[in-house]
Amino acid sequence: MTQTDILVLGSTGKTGRRVVQALRARGASVRAAGRSAEVRFDWNDDRTWEPALTGARAVYVVDRQDQPGEWDAEAEIGALAKLAVDRGVGRIVLLQARTTGLVGGKDLSAGVRGVRESGAEWTALRPNWFFQNFDEGVLLDSVRSGELRLPAGDGHEPFVDAGDVAEVAAAALLDDGHSGQVYELSGGRAFSMEEAAAEISKATGRTVAYVPVSHEAYVRELVSYDVPADYALFVADLVGQIRDNLNSAPTDTVERVLGRPPRDFADFVRDAAARGAWTV
């Protein structure tokens, strides 16, 4: 499936833009889609769905439960997957998250049922927290301020590089042998937030401290910054999964799929520091 149109939803996002790059590096024909991308796609406007899907043979879908408010992942992803198959899509790769139990009252695995029942070949990707949360995501401002205030306790997380996730996604979109698989994707080692802060401090030459706070205090702090209460609880619960070591065991999935070890956090930190990601 190397010379076919592959639709990448969320193509400007943390994984989406990397999936586009990985696919094009392998010679695939890619449609980069999103609300402000070359192909318009908006989950909230189903009139954009069919034009984006028509002619595509595979599609990369990002579950969007990581946002304020309610969103019926099973129904919405199911409706998109059904339309995709009706329009000739034969393969769907769905990005979710590696979680255990409910997060902010949400089942982050719910959307897989929609693609599983669509009739397409499907693969679900469930990564741990990304390295890139430190340099372009939710933790960036905290790192720049020199203080990571989080309810992560002394828990450990095998953070994973978003580039590795994107390469696994490209393999699942282009290559046979991945249909019906749920891939849990992690880095090669688990480490604590204190250890992460220490590695960033060493690379940047300035102190970045990890300050553990309670679950409740973190929610109150986010709300004080005008974060919606439901989303504050969602984020706190996600961090709480680290505190409780719920997904702390590294997996070998990246190496099995790509034939190489996953990128190490120390390499990521060194590169991010060298390009000034945390310069203030």
Side-chain angles (χ1 to χ4, degrees):
M1 196 183 283
T2 57
Q3 294 298 328
T4 187
D5 278 332
I6 300 178
L7 178 67
V8 176
L9 304 184
S11 64
T12 61
K14 199 176 280 94
T15 63
R17 71 178 188 273
R18 292 176 168 90
V19 172
V20 169
Q21 292 167 358
L23 290 168
R24 287 177 173 163
R26 292 189 54 178
S29 172
V30 181
R31 300 182 194 179
R35 284 179 294 180
S36 58
E38 59 192 63
V39 174
R40 185 164 183 268
F41 178 89
D42 186 344
W43 278 109
N44 297 322
D45 183 0
D46 58 13
R47 294 171 299 179
T48 67
W49 296 11
E50 185 169 2
L53 288 164
T54 300
R57 293 294 173 264
V59 59
Y60 176 73
V61 179
V62 179
D63 190 315
R64 64 191 291 258
Q65 292 190 78
D66 181 9
Q67 62 175 359
E70 295 296 325
W71 191 67
D72 190 335
E74 183 175 1
E76 293 291 320
I77 292 174
L80 178 74
K82 182 180 184 303
L83 178 62
V85 171
D86 288 345
R87 295 298 175 269
V89 170
R91 186 171 291 177
I92 301 173
V93 173
L94 172 66
L95 180 74
Q96 299 185 301
R98 188 184 180 198
T99 56
T100 300
L102 299 181
V103 177
K106 299 178 181 181
D107 176 4
L108 298 192
S109 67
V112 75
R113 290 189 283 270
V115 297
R116 189 174 59 220
E117 296 169 4
S118 68
E121 295 182 9
W122 64 272
T123 308
L125 310 182
R126 294 179 180 165
N128 282 83
W129 280 62
F130 297 135
F131 293 169
Q132 285 73 17
N133 283 323
F134 290 96
D135 76 329
E136 61 181 77
V138 66
L139 303 178
L140 173 59
D141 289 342
S142 295
V143 174
R144 286 179 171 170
S145 75
E147 191 172 82
L148 282 166
R149 295 174 53 83
L150 294 164
D154 60 358
H156 286 62
E157 175 82 359
F159 290 82
V160 64
D161 191 86
D164 287 343
V165 175
E167 287 193 36
V168 172
L173 287 161
L174 293 172
D175 304 332
D176 294 332
H178 303 287
S179 181
Q181 299 296 311
V182 176
Y183 285 149
E184 295 190 337
L185 305 172
S186 82
R189 61 185 174 102
F191 48 88
S192 68
M193 283 291 184
E194 184 174 8
E195 292 169 321
E199 291 202 41
I200 295 171
S201 297
K202 180 180 178 181
T204 58
R206 63 184 186 84
T207 301
V208 177
Y210 166 56
V211 180
V213 298
S214 72
H215 205 88
E216 296 76 13
Y218 186 64
V219 171
R220 289 196 300 270
E221 189 170 323
L222 292 181
V223 170
S224 75
Y225 297 137
D226 295 325
V227 175
D230 66 321
Y231 191 61
L233 178 61
F234 177 88
V235 175
D237 282 359
L238 274 178
V239 179
Q241 300 243 321
I242 299 176
R243 179 190 62 237
D244 297 334
N245 290 303
L246 294 181
N247 311 289
S248 61
T251 72
D252 66 351
T253 313
V254 170
E255 186 161 10
R256 284 193 291 109
V257 174
L258 301 181
R260 60 163 179 80
R263 189 184 190 195
D264 190 72
F265 184 66
D267 295 329
F268 158 77
V269 169
R270 183 178 59 252
D271 292 346
R275 58 180 159 78
W278 298 306
T279 300
V280 293

